[in-house]
Amino acid sequence: MDLALEASTDASTTVAARVQRLRDEVAEVARSANRDPAEIAIVAVSKLQPPSAVREAYDAGLRAFGENYVQEALAKFAGLPTDAERHFIGHIQTNKARALARGFDLVQSVDRLHAGVALAKAARAAGRRLRVLVQINVSPQERFGAAPSDAPALADELRAEGLEVAGTMAIGPLTNDARTIREAFLRAADAHERVGGTILSLGMSADWRVAVACGSTMIRVGTAIFGPRPLSKGDSSS
Ligand SMILES: *Cc1c(COP(=O)(O)O)cnc(C)c1O
Protein backbone atom coordinates (compact mmCIF):
# COMPACT_ATOMS: atom_id res chain seq x y z
CA MET A 1 0.00 0.00 0.00
CA ASP A 2 1.16 3.51 -0.77
CA LEU A 3 2.59 4.94 2.43
CA ALA A 4 0.98 8.31 1.79
CA LEU A 5 -2.45 6.67 1.87
CA GLU A 6 -1.95 4.44 4.87
CA ALA A 7 -4.66 4.87 7.48
CA SER A 8 -3.69 4.56 11.12
CA THR A 9 -6.36 2.15 12.34
CA ASP A 10 -4.46 0.26 15.01
CA ALA A 11 -7.26 -1.24 17.14
CA SER A 12 -5.08 -1.88 20.19
CA THR A 13 -4.50 1.72 21.19
CA THR A 14 -6.65 4.42 22.82
CA VAL A 15 -8.52 7.33 21.29
CA ALA A 16 -6.24 9.74 23.17
CA ALA A 17 -3.12 8.08 21.77
CA ARG A 18 -4.54 8.12 18.22
CA VAL A 19 -5.49 11.79 18.55
CA GLN A 20 -1.97 12.63 19.68
CA ARG A 21 -0.42 10.70 16.83
CA LEU A 22 -2.78 12.32 14.31
CA ARG A 23 -1.92 15.80 15.61
CA ASP A 24 1.79 15.08 15.35
CA GLU A 25 1.37 13.76 11.83
CA VAL A 26 -0.79 16.71 10.75
CA ALA A 27 1.89 19.09 12.00
CA GLU A 28 4.57 17.17 10.12
CA VAL A 29 2.61 16.92 6.85
CA ALA A 30 1.56 20.57 7.05
CA ARG A 31 5.13 21.74 7.53
CA SER A 32 6.37 19.62 4.65
CA ALA A 33 3.70 21.31 2.51
CA ASN A 34 4.92 24.72 3.75
CA ARG A 35 1.71 25.23 5.66
CA ASP A 36 0.99 26.31 9.21
CA PRO A 37 -0.44 23.30 11.12
CA ALA A 38 -2.81 25.70 12.90
CA GLU A 39 -4.64 26.22 9.58
CA ILE A 40 -5.83 22.63 9.53
CA ALA A 41 -8.84 21.79 11.67
CA ILE A 42 -9.57 18.21 12.66
CA VAL A 43 -13.19 17.04 12.70
CA ALA A 44 -13.65 13.78 14.60
CA VAL A 45 -16.11 11.68 12.60
CA SER A 46 -17.94 9.61 15.18
CA LYS A 47 -20.63 7.85 13.12
CA LEU A 48 -21.45 4.41 14.53
CA GLN A 49 -19.14 4.99 17.48
CA PRO A 50 -20.49 5.03 21.06
CA PRO A 51 -20.90 8.27 23.05
CA SER A 52 -18.04 7.19 25.33
CA ALA A 53 -15.62 7.27 22.39
CA VAL A 54 -16.79 10.76 21.43
CA ARG A 55 -16.20 11.89 24.99
CA GLU A 56 -12.67 10.45 24.88
CA ALA A 57 -11.98 12.48 21.77
CA TYR A 58 -13.33 15.59 23.48
CA ASP A 59 -11.16 14.91 26.53
CA ALA A 60 -8.17 14.52 24.22
CA GLY A 61 -8.81 18.12 23.15
CA LEU A 62 -10.82 17.78 19.94
CA ARG A 63 -13.67 20.28 19.63
CA ALA A 64 -15.34 19.51 16.28
CA PHE A 65 -17.44 16.41 15.71
CA GLY A 66 -18.98 15.13 12.50
CA GLU A 67 -21.93 12.78 12.13
CA ASN A 68 -23.75 11.34 9.10
CA TYR A 69 -27.10 10.42 10.59
CA VAL A 70 -29.30 13.05 12.24
CA GLN A 71 -30.99 10.99 14.96
CA GLU A 72 -27.78 9.25 15.96
CA ALA A 73 -25.97 12.59 16.07
CA LEU A 74 -28.52 14.36 18.25
CA ALA A 75 -28.49 11.52 20.78
CA LYS A 76 -24.69 11.56 20.94
CA PHE A 77 -24.20 15.32 20.89
CA ALA A 78 -26.58 15.72 23.83
CA GLY A 79 -23.80 14.48 26.11
CA LEU A 80 -21.13 16.86 24.79
CA PRO A 81 -20.17 20.16 26.43
CA THR A 82 -21.50 23.25 24.66
CA ASP A 83 -18.12 24.30 23.28
CA ALA A 84 -18.11 21.25 21.00
CA GLU A 85 -18.85 22.16 17.36
CA ARG A 86 -21.43 19.92 15.73
CA HIS A 87 -20.98 19.18 12.05
CA PHE A 88 -23.34 17.32 9.75
CA ILE A 89 -21.51 15.48 6.97
CA GLY A 90 -24.16 13.04 5.68
CA HIS A 91 -26.66 13.26 2.86
CA ILE A 92 -29.35 15.85 3.59
CA GLN A 93 -32.96 14.71 3.62
CA THR A 94 -35.21 17.74 3.47
CA ASN A 95 -37.58 16.30 6.08
CA LYS A 96 -34.65 16.59 8.52
CA ALA A 97 -34.05 20.29 7.78
CA ARG A 98 -35.55 21.46 11.05
CA ALA A 99 -33.39 19.13 13.15
CA LEU A 100 -30.33 20.10 11.12
CA ALA A 101 -30.92 23.83 11.49
CA ARG A 102 -31.40 23.53 15.23
CA GLY A 103 -28.89 20.88 16.19
CA PHE A 104 -25.81 21.61 14.10
CA ASP A 105 -23.24 24.41 13.84
CA LEU A 106 -22.03 23.57 10.34
CA VAL A 107 -23.82 21.56 7.65
CA GLN A 108 -21.02 20.43 5.33
CA SER A 109 -23.09 18.62 2.75
CA VAL A 110 -25.37 21.06 0.91
CA ASP A 111 -25.26 19.79 -2.66
CA ARG A 112 -28.47 21.11 -4.21
CA LEU A 113 -30.65 24.19 -3.99
CA HIS A 114 -33.72 22.27 -2.82
CA ALA A 115 -31.89 21.12 0.33
CA GLY A 116 -30.49 24.61 0.88
CA VAL A 117 -33.91 26.24 0.62
CA ALA A 118 -35.31 23.81 3.21
CA LEU A 119 -32.37 24.49 5.54
CA ALA A 120 -32.61 28.26 5.12
CA LYS A 121 -36.31 28.20 5.91
CA ALA A 122 -35.74 26.04 9.01
CA ALA A 123 -32.88 28.28 10.15
CA ARG A 124 -35.07 31.39 9.83
CA ALA A 125 -37.80 29.68 11.86
CA ALA A 126 -35.21 28.79 14.51
CA GLY A 127 -33.83 32.35 14.50
CA ARG A 128 -30.36 31.11 13.56
CA ARG A 129 -27.90 32.04 10.86
CA LEU A 130 -26.75 28.63 9.68
CA ARG A 131 -23.24 28.00 8.33
CA VAL A 132 -22.97 25.54 5.49
CA LEU A 133 -20.47 24.20 2.97
CA VAL A 134 -21.22 23.36 -0.63
CA GLN A 135 -20.51 19.69 -1.24
CA ILE A 136 -18.71 19.15 -4.53
CA ASN A 137 -18.53 15.86 -6.38
CA VAL A 138 -15.02 14.99 -7.55
CA SER A 139 -15.28 11.20 -7.28
CA PRO A 140 -16.82 8.71 -9.72
CA GLN A 141 -17.90 6.54 -6.77
CA GLU A 142 -19.78 9.35 -5.04
CA ARG A 143 -23.52 9.71 -5.63
CA PHE A 144 -23.90 13.15 -4.07
CA GLY A 145 -22.37 16.57 -4.52
CA ALA A 146 -22.71 19.40 -7.02
CA ALA A 147 -20.61 19.37 -10.18
CA PRO A 148 -17.55 21.61 -9.60
CA SER A 149 -18.70 23.89 -12.45
CA ASP A 150 -22.13 24.35 -10.81
CA ALA A 151 -20.80 25.04 -7.31
CA PRO A 152 -20.23 28.83 -7.55
CA ALA A 153 -23.78 29.48 -8.82
CA LEU A 154 -25.22 27.17 -6.15
CA ALA A 155 -23.23 29.06 -3.50
CA ASP A 156 -24.67 32.37 -4.74
CA GLU A 157 -28.20 30.99 -4.58
CA LEU A 158 -27.64 29.63 -1.08
CA ARG A 159 -26.31 33.00 0.07
CA ALA A 160 -29.35 34.69 -1.44
CA GLU A 161 -31.48 32.34 0.69
CA GLY A 162 -29.70 33.66 3.79
CA LEU A 163 -27.32 30.80 4.47
CA GLU A 164 -23.72 31.56 5.40
CA VAL A 165 -21.67 29.66 2.84
CA ALA A 166 -18.32 29.19 4.58
CA GLY A 167 -16.65 27.12 1.88
CA THR A 168 -16.69 23.70 0.26
CA MET A 169 -16.48 20.01 1.09
CA ALA A 170 -15.60 17.03 -1.07
CA ILE A 171 -15.04 13.30 -0.68
CA GLY A 172 -12.05 11.86 -2.51
CA PRO A 173 -12.23 8.99 -4.99
CA LEU A 174 -12.09 5.44 -3.63
CA THR A 175 -8.66 4.41 -4.83
CA ASN A 176 -5.17 3.87 -3.48
CA ASP A 177 -3.69 5.87 -6.32
CA ALA A 178 -2.38 9.08 -4.75
CA ARG A 179 -2.20 10.81 -8.12
CA THR A 180 -5.89 10.23 -8.88
CA ILE A 181 -6.79 11.49 -5.42
CA ARG A 182 -4.57 14.51 -5.84
CA GLU A 183 -6.16 15.45 -9.17
CA ALA A 184 -9.64 15.18 -7.63
CA PHE A 185 -8.67 17.31 -4.62
CA LEU A 186 -7.13 19.95 -6.87
CA ARG A 187 -10.42 20.13 -8.82
CA ALA A 188 -12.20 20.67 -5.49
CA ALA A 189 -9.68 23.33 -4.42
CA ASP A 190 -10.18 25.13 -7.73
CA ALA A 191 -13.98 25.14 -7.32
CA HIS A 192 -13.48 26.27 -3.73
CA GLU A 193 -11.70 29.41 -4.90
CA ARG A 194 -14.69 30.32 -7.02
CA VAL A 195 -17.19 29.52 -4.22
CA GLY A 196 -15.35 31.63 -1.64
CA GLY A 197 -15.19 31.16 2.11
CA THR A 198 -12.42 30.02 4.41
CA ILE A 199 -13.18 26.31 4.86
CA LEU A 200 -11.98 23.69 2.39
CA SER A 201 -13.07 20.38 3.93
CA LEU A 202 -11.04 17.67 2.22
CA GLY A 203 -9.49 14.45 3.43
CA MET A 204 -10.44 11.43 5.54
CA SER A 205 -8.35 8.83 7.41
CA ALA A 206 -6.82 7.32 4.28
CA ASP A 207 -6.29 10.43 2.17
CA TRP A 208 -5.92 13.46 4.45
CA ARG A 209 -2.18 13.75 3.77
CA VAL A 210 -2.86 14.27 0.08
CA ALA A 211 -5.67 16.68 0.99
CA VAL A 212 -3.39 18.81 3.17
CA ALA A 213 -0.91 19.05 0.33
CA CYS A 214 -3.80 20.28 -1.88
CA GLY A 215 -4.84 23.07 0.50
CA SER A 216 -7.37 21.41 2.81
CA THR A 217 -8.18 23.50 5.91
CA MET A 218 -10.38 20.85 7.52
CA ILE A 219 -9.89 17.10 7.61
CA ARG A 220 -12.71 14.73 8.62
CA VAL A 221 -11.20 11.77 10.41
CA GLY A 222 -13.06 8.72 11.71
CA THR A 223 -11.18 5.44 11.82
CA ALA A 224 -7.75 6.98 12.45
CA ILE A 225 -9.20 8.45 15.68
CA PHE A 226 -11.74 5.86 16.80
CA GLY A 227 -10.46 2.66 15.21
CA PRO A 228 -12.59 0.55 12.85
CA ARG A 229 -16.33 1.28 12.85
CA PRO A 230 -18.68 -1.40 14.07
CA LEU A 231 -20.67 -2.54 11.01
CA SER A 232 -24.30 -1.57 10.82
CA LYS A 233 -27.14 -1.13 8.38
CA GLY A 234 -26.42 1.43 5.76
CA ASP A 235 -22.69 0.89 6.11
CA SER A 236 -21.40 -0.97 3.09
CA SER A 237 -18.58 -3.47 3.53
CA SER A 238 -15.99 -0.79 2.76
C1 LIG B 1 -17.27 8.46 7.34
C2 LIG B 1 -16.87 9.76 6.76
C3 LIG B 1 -15.61 10.32 7.06
C4 LIG B 1 -14.55 9.64 7.91
O1 LIG B 1 -14.09 8.49 7.27
P1 LIG B 1 -12.79 7.71 7.84
O2 LIG B 1 -12.29 6.98 6.66
O3 LIG B 1 -13.28 6.80 8.90
O4 LIG B 1 -11.84 8.70 8.35
C5 LIG B 1 -15.32 11.58 6.53
N1 LIG B 1 -16.20 12.24 5.75
C6 LIG B 1 -17.40 11.72 5.43
C7 LIG B 1 -18.32 12.51 4.57
C8 LIG B 1 -17.77 10.47 5.92
O5 LIG B 1 -18.96 9.96 5.58
Side-chain angles (χ1 to χ4, degrees):
M1 190 193 223
D2 187 329
L3 237 195
L5 296 174
E6 191 190 328
S8 312
T9 52
D10 183 354
S12 66
T13 186
T14 63
V15 167
R18 290 196 203 93
V19 167
Q20 189 53 54
R21 183 165 62 188
L22 178 64
R23 282 214 169 104
D24 292 346
E25 282 185 77
V26 167
E28 194 182 304
V29 172
R31 277 193 289 268
S32 67
N34 285 315
R35 299 192 53 204
D36 178 356
E39 284 174 15
I40 296 141
I42 299 172
V43 178
V45 175
S46 47
K47 64 175 173 235
L48 307 177
Q49 300 291 351
S52 58
V54 179
R55 184 68 209 206
E56 280 181 75
Y58 180 89
D59 290 340
L62 295 183
R63 288 295 178 271
F65 298 85
E67 287 274 350
N68 297 58
Y69 310 105
V70 175
Q71 292 318 120
E72 179 190 344
L74 295 179
K76 238 180 274 181
F77 286 164
L80 277 178
T82 50
D83 67 340
E85 257 184 53
R86 292 134 162 97
H87 295 205
F88 186 72
I89 60 172
H91 180 61
I92 298 171
Q93 294 172 300
T94 50
N95 64 352
K96 299 276 168 41
R98 191 180 133 93
L100 285 168
R102 288 170 175 262
F104 292 82
D105 303 300
L106 180 68
V107 176
Q108 296 206 10
S109 44
V110 180
D111 63 350
R112 62 202 192 283
L113 184 59
H114 182 59
V117 168
L119 279 179
K121 191 173 161 210
R124 274 195 302 276
R128 296 190 72 190
R129 183 157 165 82
L130 188 63
R131 297 176 84 212
V132 303
L133 304 181
V134 173
Q135 182 177 349
I136 299 177
N137 189 322
V138 293
S139 160
Q141 295 86 19
E142 219 15 73
R143 275 193 297 156
F144 304 116
S149 57
D150 293 342
L154 175 58
D156 287 345
E157 291 173 310
L158 296 173
R159 289 183 176 117
E161 289 293 326
L163 294 170
E164 181 181 339
V165 178
T168 41
M169 182 272 259
I171 297 172
L174 274 181
T175 168
N176 288 331
D177 180 34
R179 208 173 97 174
T180 303
I181 295 172
R182 192 181 143 77
E183 284 167 3
F185 283 163
L186 290 176
R187 282 203 302 282
D190 178 66
H192 172 69
E193 279 193 17
R194 285 174 290 125
V195 164
T198 54
I199 301 175
L200 174 56
S201 174
L202 289 181
M204 320 199 329
S205 293
D207 58 16
W208 67 261
R209 294 168 186 81
V210 182
V212 166
C214 294
S216 173
T217 67
M218 180 174 279
I219 61 176
R220 309 177 309 271
V221 181
T223 46
I225 290 174
F226 297 109
R229 277 185 283 280
L231 274 185
S232 98
K233 37 116 200 159
D235 206 34
S236 61
S237 58
S238 66

